[in-house]
Amino acid sequence: MVYETKIAEFVIKTTTEKDVPLIIEFIYGLAEYEKLTHEVVVTEENLTESLFVKKTAEAMIGYYKGEPVGFILFFHNFSTFLGKPGIYLEDLFVEPQFRGKGFGKMLLTFLAKLAKERDCGRFEWSVLDWNEPAINFYKSLG
């Protein structure tokens, strides 16, 4: 499935098994930014199983002019108080050379709309307390 966005030539696509190596590249890019590459143990096999066999999480990739620029990885949780599912954003990553162009905002907005379409009671994520650029990004969205 392809999702058109308001930024010309930017599309968000549902991932397939052939995207797993690219998703892992994005995961390593995020880990490098967070100085946590030593903690990454993901493999193509276990990521494929989680995303496409067990379907415990989902991922989408943003493309600008056909080039992959970032991704989101998320999963459903559940609120007993609301009696509804929620979406938890595990990862949002945009390649450094594409930051500041609105792609992160489009990925986050897409996921918020998806949560609404799926009748989720919550859309949640967390950010590292030292990650000022991400904190400022989220604050700029209100």
Side-chain angles (χ1 to χ4, degrees), residues 19-47 70-71 73 90-96 99 130:
D19 294 313
V20 168
L22 176 58
I23 296 167
I24 290 176
E25 285 181 36
F26 284 135
I27 291 169
Y28 272 97
L30 177 61
E32 184 176 328
Y33 175 77
E34 294 180 343
K35 298 173 180 56
L36 295 171
T37 54
H38 62 282
E39 292 188 18
V40 179
V41 296
V42 67
T43 66
E44 286 187 23
E45 183 180 89
N46 69 10
L47 188 59
F71 89 120
L73 192 141
E90 180 66 26
D91 291 332
L92 166 64
F93 178 75
V94 175
E95 291 284 1
R99 293 181 188 152
W130 61 262

